[in-house]
Amino acid sequence: MHLSDAQRLDWLRLIRSEGIGPRTFRGLVNRFGGAGAALKALPGLAKARAKPIRITTKAEAEREIAAAARLGARFVAMGEPDYPLPLQATADAPPLICLRGDAACLKRPAVAVVGSRNASAAGLTFTERLSHALGAEGLVIVSGLARGVDARAHKAALQSGTVAVLAGGHDRIYPSEHEELVARILESGGAVIAEMPMGWEPRGRDFPRRNRIISGLSLGTIVVEAARRSGSLITARFALEQGREVFAVPGSPLDPRAEGTNDLIRDGATLCAAPEHVMAVLSPLIGGPTPDTGAEDAADRPEPALYWDEIDFSAEPVTAMAAEPAQRSLDEVSPLPAQRDDRTILLELLGPSPVPVDALARQAGVSARVVQGLLMELELDGKIWRHPGGAVSLR
Amino acid sequence: MHLSDAQRLDWLRLIRSEGIGPRTFRGLVNRFGGAGAALKALPGLAKARAKPIRITTKAEAEREIAAAARLGARFVAMGEPDYPLPLQATADAPPLICLRGDAACLKRPAVAVVGSRNASAAGLTFTERLSHALGAEGLVIVSGLARGVDARAHKAALQSGTVAVLAGGHDRIYPSEHEELVARILESGGAVIAEMPMGWEPRGRDFPRRNRIISGLSLGTIVVEAARRSGSLITARFALEQGREVFAVPGSPLDPRAEGTNDLIRDGATLCAAPEHVMAVLSPLIGGPTPDTGAEDAADRPEPALYWDEIDFSAEPVTAMAAEPAQRSLDEVSPLPAQRDDRTILLELLGPSPVPVDALARQAGVSARVVQGLLMELELDGKIWRHPGGAVSLR
């Protein structure tokens, strides 16, 4: 898929409008058949609200595209060839990313290396060795440009390729002392990605939201040092929810910077004390199919409301909804890759031979709990047989 | 069971005789009905050998008992009330232990805390906190009296109770600077255990052999700091083979003293960064049945030949065997607790309801591999039924 300039402008206007986040965006575009149509429908949809929602104007979106262009950045939409597939496979992937640098490095297998801003000397040394070694293995190192572990990971991977994900806009590098690092990442063929608008000064809650992109770009996330309740653990949690690997570097129980990583290991993350520990897990995944959709367990997923002020238009009464857009140009029709529902996926995976439920869940990329619920429905509908040992088959 | 003085002398003579280790001891006593009878049979058994085996004399054994008594030590035989049950449940448990101190502390649940002689300051601090906390939870701390982690563990647990296991004789404390620590352990109501004879200067291979007693006395073994190929890892391996828990304290990948513990965690040991991590695993075991026999996987067990120069009398030709002892006093008949063979144990565990093979293996305390082999035999003998899903039942 390639967006026309007009479509790209519509996508940017829609995602920049008040109350629109990745989920609302997806819902509106799928419902109205395109971003342009959704923009036309939006005022009607929002009529029921006390305060009208603020829709980004064409001029505003054009100004942002121009500002990005001045920095050599461009907007890449989900579904376009330069949009990273592992990110696209995640729930709540940003519909548009603003990309500086070489999109080629986004096509290579990547691993995230994240950790404390106030890392120990040992932690920084290990970060450097690890990132260098994994870079030499052909992995792109993804991180968040923060002080400490992040910056060291980027620097160690300049030769082999590294991607920084910003919490703010491209013209608001944080911390500002890392503007030079951004320049070096770009010079060396790496890339820098922002989801937030040009001019956006990153605030506290932008960082956790940004972290889902770091983990989402990567086959796995390695947490080098992390205190309890630190941002790196949020990245690890996103990785888990996205069905990606989580690695944690162990440390002394007396070091508070190791509390988070030791906890992760106790919770099942792979202990990483050497690059081989990462490669042993990731090698089999490289060159394989795109990682799963991360529909792992919707119940455990952090509420998107924590990260976006999204308006839930699906709750709006039908009477308040706008008429379907009168004219729809073919050009405008660019629905997002349709998400098949889990029930359909299960039915497609099932056949006459009994398969264990956990294998089914794994193949469907859906949690066992969700699968069990759906299987109960399917059984009541007379669609499936239950077999001893917990296996099921199509009836 | 209580041994008479005469029996105890026979037991000591037999285990101190040339070529006799825990396995030969058990074999001979069970075969001839007692240690005295075995001693009488031994010269005949050994006739076929080029060089006659050296049998410890009554006078030599009496001198050792007297030497031990002068230090306040006494010999406790397997099966006697003061012999620690968890140790008795292990393969190759010493038939006799020489015990100084209070046998009462051997009846309480225990955990081993072991680690590097050249531990880091952080490792020592953690050892102290951990041992103190686990002592406060009611656990006796078992260790090996070595410099570093071992000594710190003992010291931190003086108030709550600690047991030291020696690699040499009671009059050959190693390192000698820990003679004072031994005195403090005894004063505080702890105990010191030796398997080797009085006067025995511990040599290299005595330490790994001793380590099986450290792990065997304990519900679990905690390794605090350990380089690769260190003695503490041998203790951990014994614990595993004995069916006990293994805990390892994580450390920085840049610290060689953490390589062994990080490896253990990667291999499945429980990460221990706080006393609660140990209690979470051990609490459910306390007050439960004696831990299993450690018959986990005989194939993986280190060859006893590595640790004892045992003569395999079972290979001696029957013609060379001594006549069964002419007169056997009732007093002499004290066979060791009979070890039922695994086949018998499986048959006893099986009933008419199908049980999964892994559950069977777990209950039998026998490795799945061994169980599978035995089940094949039993199936060929028409003793069992196979059921779908890999379950079996008595036919």
Side-chain angles (χ1 to χ4, degrees):
Chain A
M1 182 189 86
H2 279 281
L3 294 193
S4 67
D5 286 352
Q7 282 176 323
R8 200 177 311 276
L9 197 68
D10 284 342
W11 277 52
L12 187 59
R13 285 184 65 199
L14 185 57
I15 190 65
R16 294 291 185 250
S17 290
E18 186 193 357
I20 308 293
R23 289 191 177 194
T24 7
F25 185 96
R26 183 187 280 271
L28 290 169
V29 166
N30 282 340
R31 177 159 163 203
F32 295 100
L39 281 169
K40 284 183 191 123
L42 206 48
L45 274 181
K47 232 179 250 166
R49 295 172 55 82
K51 224 174 59 160
I53 72 164
R54 165 110 183 81
I55 297 172
T56 296
T57 65
K58 210 173 248 195
E60 286 165 334
E62 279 166 348
R63 274 199 298 276
E64 188 180 348
I65 290 175
R70 279 193 295 275
L71 283 179
R74 60 200 174 90
F75 289 91
V76 178
M78 187 185 282
E80 290 196 303
D82 282 348
Y83 195 98
L85 280 176
L87 182 60
Q88 186 165 318
T90 63
D92 306 325
L96 278 177
I97 54 173
C98 190
L99 170 68
R100 274 178 93 181
D102 192 350
C105 72
L106 298 175
K107 303 212 183 306
R108 290 167 47 201
V111 66
V113 178
V114 299
S116 296
R117 285 187 297 275
N118 63 338
S120 70
L124 291 174
T125 302
F126 185 74
T127 301
E128 186 170 309
R129 288 189 196 168
L130 183 72
S131 304
H132 193 266
L134 294 176
E137 293 281 352
L139 288 170
V140 169
I141 305 296
V142 179
S143 197
L145 206 73
R147 294 186 186 97
V149 168
D150 287 23
R152 190 64 71 101
H154 287 304
K155 284 175 190 164
L158 284 172
Q159 291 302 313
S160 51
T162 186
V163 172
V165 186
L166 305 177
H170 275 289
D171 49 355
R172 294 291 187 274
I173 299 299
Y174 179 86
S176 58
E177 75 230 43
H178 283 167
E179 276 168 19
E180 197 206 321
L181 179 54
V182 165
R184 290 174 65 196
I185 290 171
L186 295 173
E187 279 160 24
S188 64
V192 181
I193 289 175
E195 176 186 23
M196 298 305 286
M198 294 294 293
W200 186 273
E201 201 75 57
R203 302 153 308 162
R205 67 181 223 167
D206 295 321
F207 293 92
R209 168 162 59 188
R210 180 275 314 265
N211 292 354
R212 85 191 195 286
I213 303 179
I214 293 178
S215 59
L217 288 167
S218 311
L219 293 168
T221 290
I222 307 166
V223 184
V224 178
E225 278 186 345
R228 291 211 172 101
R229 269 181 285 280
S230 68
S232 308
L233 297 184
I234 294 175
T235 315
R237 191 175 160 194
F238 275 124
L240 214 61
E241 287 159 4
Q242 290 163 347
R244 310 300 165 83
E245 302 298 330
V246 178
F247 304 87
V249 178
S252 163
L254 299 185
D255 186 349
R257 284 169 297 208
E259 283 180 351
T261 54
N262 287 342
D263 283 352
L264 281 175
I265 295 167
R266 284 184 53 80
D267 290 346
T270 301
L271 185 151
C272 165
E276 307 85 66
H277 298 162
V278 177
M279 292 314 296
V281 175
L282 296 191
S283 293
L285 305 179
I286 292 172
T290 302
D292 75 32
T293 60
E296 195 70 13
D297 203 335
D300 289 346
R301 195 179 294 157
E303 272 301 299
L306 280 170
Y307 300 115
W308 294 273
D309 290 321
E310 283 186 288
I311 298 166
D312 184 2
F313 291 111
S314 66
E316 304 280 321
V318 179
T319 50
M321 295 225 174
E324 291 289 307
Q327 333 106 301
R328 244 197 229 176
S329 75
L330 244 182
D331 195 48
E332 226 175 32
V333 180
S334 58
L336 291 182
Q339 288 199 308
R340 288 170 310 156
D341 69 70
D342 294 338
R343 183 185 159 111
T344 312
I345 293 172
L346 285 189
L347 282 171
E348 282 174 15
L349 285 171
L350 280 168
S353 314
V355 285
V357 172
D358 53 347
L360 191 65
R362 213 162 36 239
Q363 284 179 46
V366 176
S367 80
R369 207 190 318 163
V370 170
V371 167
Q372 290 292 7
L374 289 169
L375 288 177
M376 190 173 294
E377 283 178 23
L378 289 171
E379 195 181 5
L380 292 172
D381 293 351
K383 301 271 190 205
I384 59 161
W385 290 113
R386 295 268 188 188
H387 299 267
V392 290
S393 69
L394 217 51
R395 190 154 171 171
Chain B
M1 183 188 86
H2 279 282
L3 295 193
S4 67
D5 286 352
Q7 282 177 322
R8 200 177 311 276
L9 198 69
D10 285 341
W11 277 54
L12 187 59
R13 284 184 65 199
L14 186 57
I15 190 63
R16 294 292 187 246
S17 290
E18 185 193 358
I20 308 293
R23 289 193 178 192
T24 6
F25 185 97
R26 181 187 282 271
L28 291 169
V29 167
N30 282 340
R31 179 160 163 200
F32 295 101
L39 281 169
K40 285 182 190 124
L42 207 47
L45 272 182
K47 231 179 251 167
R49 295 172 55 82
K51 224 173 56 162
I53 72 161
R54 172 117 175 73
I55 297 173
T56 296
T57 66
K58 213 173 247 197
E60 287 166 335
E62 279 166 348
R63 274 200 296 277
E64 187 178 349
I65 289 173
R70 279 192 295 276
L71 284 179
R74 61 197 174 92
F75 290 91
V76 178
M78 188 184 283
E80 290 197 302
D82 282 349
Y83 195 98
L85 280 178
L87 181 60
Q88 187 166 318
T90 63
D92 307 324
L96 279 176
I97 54 172
C98 190
L99 170 68
R100 278 179 91 180
D102 192 349
C105 72
L106 298 175
K107 304 215 183 303
R108 290 168 46 202
V111 67
V113 177
V114 298
S116 297
R117 285 187 298 276
N118 63 338
S120 70
L124 290 174
T125 302
F126 185 73
T127 300
E128 186 170 310
R129 289 190 196 167
L130 183 71
S131 304
H132 193 267
L134 294 175
E137 292 283 352
L139 289 169
V140 169
I141 305 294
V142 179
S143 197
L145 206 72
R147 296 187 185 97
V149 168
D150 287 21
R152 190 64 71 101
H154 288 303
K155 285 175 192 165
L158 285 172
Q159 292 303 313
S160 51
T162 183
V163 173
V165 186
L166 305 177
H170 274 290
D171 49 355
R172 294 291 187 274
I173 299 298
Y174 180 87
S176 57
E177 76 230 43
H178 284 167
E179 275 167 20
E180 198 207 319
L181 179 55
V182 165
R184 291 174 66 196
I185 291 171
L186 296 173
E187 281 161 24
S188 64
V192 180
I193 288 174
E195 175 186 25
M196 298 306 286
M198 294 295 293
W200 186 274
E201 200 72 60
R203 303 155 306 162
R205 64 180 223 171
D206 295 321
F207 293 93
R209 170 163 57 190
R210 180 271 317 264
N211 292 354
R212 86 190 193 288
I213 303 178
I214 293 178
S215 58
L217 288 166
S218 312
L219 293 169
T221 290
I222 307 167
V223 184
V224 178
E225 277 186 347
R228 292 212 172 99
R229 269 181 286 281
S230 69
S232 307
L233 298 185
I234 294 175
T235 316
R237 193 177 158 191
F238 277 122
L240 213 60
E241 287 159 3
Q242 291 163 347
R244 310 300 165 81
E245 301 297 330
V246 178
F247 303 87
V249 179
S252 162
L254 298 185
D255 186 350
R257 285 169 298 209
E259 283 180 352
T261 53
N262 287 341
D263 283 353
L264 282 175
I265 295 166
R266 284 184 52 82
D267 290 347
T270 301
L271 186 151
C272 164
E276 306 87 65
H277 299 161
V278 177
M279 293 314 296
V281 174
L282 296 191
S283 294
L285 305 178
I286 292 171
T290 302
D292 74 33
T293 60
E296 195 70 11
D297 201 337
D300 289 347
R301 196 179 295 156
E303 271 303 299
L306 281 170
Y307 301 114
W308 293 274
D309 291 320
E310 283 187 285
I311 299 167
D312 185 0
F313 293 110
S314 66
E316 304 280 319
V318 179
T319 52
M321 293 224 176
E324 291 290 308
Q327 333 104 298
R328 243 195 231 178
S329 75
L330 246 183
D331 195 50
E332 225 174 38
V333 178
S334 59
L336 291 181
Q339 288 200 307
R340 288 170 309 158
D341 69 67
D342 294 339
R343 186 186 158 112
T344 312
I345 293 171
L346 285 191
L347 282 171
E348 283 174 15
L349 284 171
L350 281 168
S353 314
V355 284
V357 172
D358 53 347
L360 191 65
R362 211 160 39 238
Q363 283 179 48
V366 177
S367 78
R369 210 193 313 165
V370 171
V371 167
Q372 288 292 7
L374 290 169
L375 288 178
M376 192 174 294
E377 284 177 23
L378 290 171
E379 194 182 6
L380 292 172
D381 293 351
K383 302 271 189 208
I384 59 162
W385 289 115
R386 296 270 187 184
H387 298 266
V392 290
S393 71
L394 217 51
R395 192 157 170 171

